[in-house]
Amino acid sequence: MNILVVGGAGYIGSHMVQWLDREGCQVTTLDNLCSGHREAVLAGRFVQGDIADSGLLSSLFASTRFDAVMHFASFIQVGESVAQPGMYYRNNVAHTLNLLEAMRAADVRRFIFSSTAATFGEPVYTPIDEAHPQRPINPYGRSKWMVEQMLTDMDTAWGLKSVSLRYFNAAGADPSGRLGERHDPETHLIPLVLQAARGRRPHISVFGRDYDTPDGTCVRDYIHIEDLCQAHWLALQHLMQEGASDAFNLGNGTGFSVQQVIDTAQRVTGRSIPVVNAPRRAGDPAVLVADGRRARENLGWVPAYPDLQTIIAHAWAWEQGRA
Ligand code: UFG
């Protein structure tokens, strides 16, 4: 199979490129390197460029007959999206539309989309299944939700078959230690906690201890990056077998609090991690836990690393290997 991975130099995309290569696919990564890393692309062909560039897209699609496109490239920071919504709608929505139109012109009709739990907004019930209302509460979530809507319309109009995968909290690292999480700036809890364990940051700030949760800190559903890759791989099989367009929530169905993450990280690393209490971060729901049963039942997805300790251990091995 010939697969185009857009955003293949980023955290999740780079793990996917490695997975596809291991499975024997011909992989092309397209990434503008605005946040990705060239050296994280461990296999296949690399093209530096932007999905905003229609000329580049048409020559790419003319030169290679892709069986499917996986789209990981987007801006991902909720707070930034509130401050600069135009940037999020342009990059995450308009540029994705450009990509989809290039696919239509080239008659490429299989698409796997990185969506997010943020499309649901404030949970009405938990765990969150696919029937849960989608009422995003920030431009980041809305931008992903808009693309989900576009995908449905494009299926109706020209038969685009897509799978939207709504990640809860992507975490962990390649078990062989070759890849991991490297955002700049880093905003995610687990890498920040591990950087504090390593002494690269003075402490970890806990954003709010007064939530309606067992220990007062926010609860999230952390899902190993390799398990996300497995879900993409299964979604690709589904589309290759002429499966219908669909959307799945990806999480383990178990929530861990910020404090539990810190406690687990202390056990895994054997270090004591300085903690500072900080105010709530705007827009953080108290609890976000996925009901991932549909992906298990319909795609045959079985997460291999559901255990938080393993997720953190893999992230720690990666963190320690970093300069
Ligand atoms: N947190 C802290 N201190 C920090 C960083 C995070 O206490 O220094 C807390 C947050 O308040 C939150 C939890 O740790 O309760 C997890 O925060 P992350 O930033 O790691 O992840 P989020 O749950 O905010 O974000 C994830 C995805 C986003 C997506 C969002 C949907 O990473 O891309 O879920 O709500 F938008």
Side-chain angles (χ1 to χ4, degrees):
M1 271 187 290
N2 242 307
I3 310 297
L4 176 62
V5 180
V6 179
Y11 171 42
I12 306 174
S14 61
H15 287 78
M16 194 69 226
V17 168
Q18 178 173 255
W19 182 295
L20 292 169
D21 178 64
R22 239 175 15 220
E23 295 287 348
C25 297
Q26 302 297 312
V27 188
T28 299
T29 291
L30 173 64
D31 199 301
N32 65 8
L33 298 183
C34 81
S35 57
H37 307 277
R38 172 67 186 90
E39 64 278 14
V41 183
L42 298 180
R45 175 169 61 136
F46 178 77
V47 178
Q48 183 170 354
D50 205 297
I51 50 173
D53 183 345
S54 300
L56 171 66
L57 290 178
S58 60
S59 62
L60 200 53
F61 283 115
S63 70
T64 309
R65 176 86 212 139
F66 292 109
D67 295 291
V69 175
M70 294 187 176
H71 181 28
F72 296 92
S74 76
F75 294 154
I76 59 165
Q77 289 179 43
V78 170
E80 185 181 61
S81 81
V82 175
Q84 301 188 64
M87 194 170 112
Y88 274 69
Y89 291 122
R90 184 174 304 110
N91 190 63
N92 294 4
V93 182
H95 293 175
T96 299
L97 176 58
N98 211 44
L99 172 63
L100 293 169
E101 294 197 316
M103 288 176 60
R104 180 186 189 177
D107 199 28
V108 176
R109 289 164 191 263
R110 298 185 193 95
F111 189 70
I112 300 179
F113 177 58
S114 300
S115 190
T116 169
T119 60
F120 292 107
E122 195 64 48
V124 178
Y125 58 83
T126 193
I128 297 175
D129 59 14
E130 288 79 3
H132 188 286
Q134 285 181 291
R135 292 190 207 119
I137 55 170
N138 52 59
Y140 168 69
R142 268 191 286 278
S143 72
K144 294 285 186 172
W145 177 81
M146 285 175 186
V147 173
E148 288 197 16
Q149 306 306 301
M150 280 178 1
L151 294 175
T152 305
D153 292 338
M154 297 211 177
D155 189 353
T156 308
W158 54 274
L160 173 70
K161 297 300 168 203
S162 69
V163 175
S164 293
L165 297 174
R166 303 180 188 126
Y167 315 150
F168 279 61
N169 285 62
D174 166 30
S176 75
R178 299 205 301 165
L179 292 166
E181 190 165 5
R182 193 150 51 116
H183 294 114
D184 186 20
E186 188 53 76
T187 61
H188 294 111
L189 179 65
I190 291 178
L192 290 174
V193 166
L194 295 176
Q195 286 168 21
R198 214 182 153 193
R200 297 189 126 204
R201 291 178 189 266
H203 56 258
I204 180 72
S205 299
V206 173
F207 296 149
R209 285 204 176 268
D210 57 349
Y211 285 97
D212 185 15
T213 60
D215 65 18
T217 66
C218 285
V219 170
R220 293 289 180 274
D221 185 339
Y222 295 90
I223 179 81
H224 197 290
I225 187 90
E226 286 288 293
D227 291 329
L228 291 183
C229 289
Q230 185 205 138
H232 285 74
W233 176 245
L234 294 168
L236 179 62
Q237 313 308 310
H238 169 81
L239 293 180
M240 293 306 293
Q241 290 153 18
E242 311 303 328
S245 294
D246 215 329
F248 299 98
N249 296 354
L250 298 183
N252 284 310
T254 311
F256 293 95
S257 72
V258 171
Q259 188 59 52
Q260 284 176 309
V261 168
I262 296 169
D263 293 343
T264 307
Q266 296 200 126
R267 277 199 302 280
V268 168
T269 63
R271 314 256 176 112
S272 120
I273 301 172
V275 172
V276 166
N277 293 331
R280 289 184 176 198
R281 190 172 66 178
D284 272 342
V287 178
L288 274 180
V289 175
D291 181 338
R293 276 180 300 181
R294 271 199 81 239
R296 287 169 171 76
E297 286 160 13
N298 292 31
L299 296 177
W301 184 51
V302 183
Y305 306 104
D307 173 45
L308 181 64
Q309 191 147 329
T310 309
I311 292 173
I312 292 179
H314 290 165
W316 178 234
W318 161 253
E319 176 59 39
Q320 283 181 299
R322 285 180 63 183

